[in-house]
Amino acid sequence: YEQAENLLQECHRIMKPGGTIRVIVPDVSIFVERYAKNDLAWFAEWEKHVLGPPRNRKLVSKMAAISFVTQEYGHQSSWDFETLSHFLAKVGFTAVRRRAFRQGANPRLLKDMDAPDRTLLSLYVEAEKPPSTIRFQSGNGG
């Protein structure tokens, strides 16, 4: 999370006041919810889209799916809305909102990958860098 926080801090630093950031990450809470409900149909759908060709892997267990989404392909942390919101707010973003696939405040940011594995398990979040509140006052002699 430290590296993610550093990245979000840098995004906040370089963004113009009033700008919007859109973050898309795997939503591990979906996996946890489906795991708790023993939703084998959902995991079968996930397996078809994620482990099927060209990977040709088989789902060993529901926990293996959670491990896959949290540890493979360079993933180093797990995300849900609560956790991502915390880090966005911590670095100074406001108006943190959960969004949906290709829905958001700025059409230019809706570059979401249209792939079944992404739309099935992604968390879409937008946040704003607050407008600048610095006001310059003229002083005596200036």
PDB file of all heavy atoms in Angstrom, residues 39 76 135:
ATOM      1  N   ASP A  39     -20.733 -19.201  -4.115  1.00  0.00           N
ATOM      2  CA  ASP A  39     -21.324 -18.970  -5.430  1.00  0.00           C
ATOM      3  C   ASP A  39     -20.469 -19.637  -6.519  1.00  0.00           C
ATOM      4  O   ASP A  39     -19.672 -18.991  -7.204  1.00  0.00           O
ATOM      5  CB  ASP A  39     -21.447 -17.467  -5.674  1.00  0.00           C
ATOM      6  CG  ASP A  39     -22.233 -17.133  -6.921  1.00  0.00           C
ATOM      7  OD1 ASP A  39     -22.462 -18.023  -7.767  1.00  0.00           O
ATOM      8  OD2 ASP A  39     -22.627 -15.954  -7.049  1.00  0.00           O
ATOM      9  N   GLN A  76       0.265  -6.450  -5.762  1.00  0.00           N
ATOM     10  CA  GLN A  76       0.946  -6.458  -4.474  1.00  0.00           C
ATOM     11  C   GLN A  76       0.030  -6.067  -3.324  1.00  0.00           C
ATOM     12  O   GLN A  76       0.431  -6.100  -2.177  1.00  0.00           O
ATOM     13  CB  GLN A  76       2.139  -5.508  -4.507  1.00  0.00           C
ATOM     14  CG  GLN A  76       3.183  -5.941  -5.511  1.00  0.00           C
ATOM     15  CD  GLN A  76       4.360  -4.995  -5.557  1.00  0.00           C
ATOM     16  OE1 GLN A  76       4.400  -4.002  -4.844  1.00  0.00           O
ATOM     17  NE2 GLN A  76       5.321  -5.297  -6.394  1.00  0.00           N
ATOM     18  N   ARG A 135      -5.966  32.514  -2.219  1.00  0.00           N
ATOM     19  CA  ARG A 135      -6.410  33.829  -2.697  1.00  0.00           C
ATOM     20  C   ARG A 135      -5.290  34.822  -2.438  1.00  0.00           C
ATOM     21  O   ARG A 135      -4.712  34.850  -1.359  1.00  0.00           O
ATOM     22  CB  ARG A 135      -7.663  34.266  -1.978  1.00  0.00           C
ATOM     23  CG  ARG A 135      -8.811  33.286  -2.152  1.00  0.00           C
ATOM     24  CD  ARG A 135     -10.140  33.975  -1.929  1.00  0.00           C
ATOM     25  NE  ARG A 135     -11.217  33.040  -1.943  1.00  0.00           N
ATOM     26  CZ  ARG A 135     -11.818  32.608  -3.032  1.00  0.00           C
ATOM     27  NH1 ARG A 135     -11.430  33.032  -4.202  1.00  0.00           N
ATOM     28  NH2 ARG A 135     -12.816  31.741  -2.970  1.00  0.00           N
TER      29      ARG A 135
END
